[in-house]
Structures are given as C-alpha cells and as structure tokens.
Amino acid sequence: MLILTIKQGKEKSLLDGDPWIYLSAIERVDGKFHERMKSGATCLVRSSKSEFLARAAWSPKSQIRARVWTFDETEAVDHAMFKRRIHAALTKRLPLITKSDVKLEKPQLLINAEEDQLPGLVVEYHAIQQGFLACQFQAAGVDAWKVAIVKTLITETGCSNVYEHTDYLVRKGEGLPGGSGVLAGDAPPANLSGLL
C-alpha cells in the first residue's frame, strides 16, 4: 500500500477535515513503483511523526495528489464503504424526489461529491422516459471504483439506466481519459445527452 507522509505543519488542514491533499503538502511517497503510478489506489496518509491522518485515493497526475476517503483509522475503503455512503446520500435526497406530487422537470442532484464523502462523484436523476442517472467521475478515486458505484446506484435507486457525462478538462487535470457514454441500461435521448 502507498504511504503518503505529510510535511510537518501541513497536516493542519487534514486535522481540520479538509479532504484534499496537494502535491506541495507531501514530504514523500513510499510504495512500489506500480502503486505510485496507479490512479485511484488507496493510500495511507500519515504525519511526519508517522501518526495516522487518513486513507485517501491517490492521483499521481493531479495537483490534488490525494482525496481523503476517511479520517477514521478503523474504516476500510471497500465496497461496503461505498454502499454506506451512497445509501446515506440517497436517503437525504430521494424522499424529496420520489414524492408523487412533485413533477420533475429539472435534473435532481442525488450525490454531491465531497459533501457526501464521495470526492469527485456527482450524480443527478433525470425523470425522462423511464429515468436516467447521469454520473460524473471527476477524480481518480471514484473512477477506480466506477463499477462498484454504478452497481450500488442501480440497486439503491431502482434506476437501471446510467450514463456517464464527462467534463473533459476536469478529467484531463486528473490524468484520466475523457469520454461520455452508457454505463448501464439504455442510452439517454439525444436531448438529454446533449445537456449533460
């Protein structure tokens, strides 16, 4: 596993709950070469005194070199974590969307990245035809967990149509390829894919 050691004095933002770790805050990166090159790999973040600070997603080509998954040393970064966080985000927002008296003319935000402890993931629901989930995977960590995230979204929402919308410049800054397309189910109508 990669280990990021934060420069002395630079750990304050992490201790305050800031989930972004910039290149300038990192003293050193320990780990095997292939781990250092793997976008989205989970890394252990520690202070200059070797104290646990966080677990984060590594992004070797971004100025934001890591995005924190958890500040809890006992929490594993695994499928269960993603299920819990997606469930929690949807529990906050789905009751507002599924009310039968609400007519959904605009996309409805379901997951909002760092606010929902899923850095770089934005998911909207579009109530067109049988419904579509539009996802943006804007960081290496969520991109590496894309399959697990999509499966969980389908299970939790009951919406089987999932479309990826890419902000090319954001993904390029992360060192990730661009491209939009269907991740599950049917393709959205042309007017929807043009708006995403």
Side-chain angles (χ1 to χ4, degrees):
M1 175 182 278
L2 281 179
I3 299 174
L4 303 187
T5 301
I6 302 300
K7 292 176 183 174
Q8 186 174 0
K10 295 287 187 174
E11 70 281 350
K12 184 177 181 334
S13 64
L14 289 167
L15 294 171
D16 289 341
D18 185 347
W20 290 2
I21 301 170
Y22 289 91
L23 173 61
S24 61
I26 299 172
E27 182 177 309
R28 74 175 184 275
V29 179
D30 296 309
K32 297 176 183 170
F33 178 77
H34 73 275
E35 292 173 327
R36 293 179 193 208
M37 300 310 295
K38 184 179 178 188
S39 287
T42 298
C43 56
L44 177 67
V45 182
R46 64 183 186 186
S47 70
S48 58
K49 296 177 183 176
S50 296
E51 299 163 327
F52 175 86
L53 294 172
R55 282 193 182 81
W58 176 243
S59 187
K61 296 182 180 176
S62 174
Q63 286 299 308
I64 304 172
R65 283 295 157 99
R67 287 177 169 82
V68 172
W69 289 127
T70 183
F71 293 103
D72 180 352
E73 190 170 5
T74 64
E75 184 175 28
V77 178
D78 57 13
H79 286 93
M81 183 199 79
F82 285 95
K83 287 178 182 178
R84 284 191 307 274
R85 292 189 180 178
I86 290 169
H87 179 77
L90 296 176
T91 299
K92 286 192 296 191
R93 296 185 182 99
L94 274 180
L96 303 173
I97 294 169
T98 56
K99 288 183 179 179
S100 60
D101 59 332
V102 176
K103 183 170 168 114
L104 301 175
E105 295 177 3
K106 295 181 182 177
Q108 303 298 308
L109 182 66
L110 298 182
I111 297 176
N112 191 19
E114 282 78 0
E115 179 183 329
D116 293 312
Q117 296 181 305
L118 292 163
L121 179 65
V122 177
V123 180
E124 293 180 335
Y125 175 73
H126 295 259
I128 297 173
Q129 296 172 356
Q130 66 273 40
F132 292 87
L133 296 175
C135 303
Q136 292 184 45
F137 295 88
Q138 301 173 337
V142 289
D143 195 68
W145 285 91
K146 188 182 295 184
V147 172
I149 289 169
V150 169
K151 286 180 179 180
T152 302
L153 285 168
I154 292 168
T155 301
E156 290 284 335
T157 64
C159 183
S160 60
N161 300 310
V162 185
Y163 183 82
E164 180 176 7
H165 166 65
T166 298
D167 183 326
Y168 177 75
L169 292 178
V170 171
R171 286 182 60 89
K172 182 178 178 186
E174 285 289 305
L176 299 170
S180 297
V182 176
L183 298 175
D186 297 328
N191 62 336
L192 176 62
S193 57
L195 296 174
L196 297 176

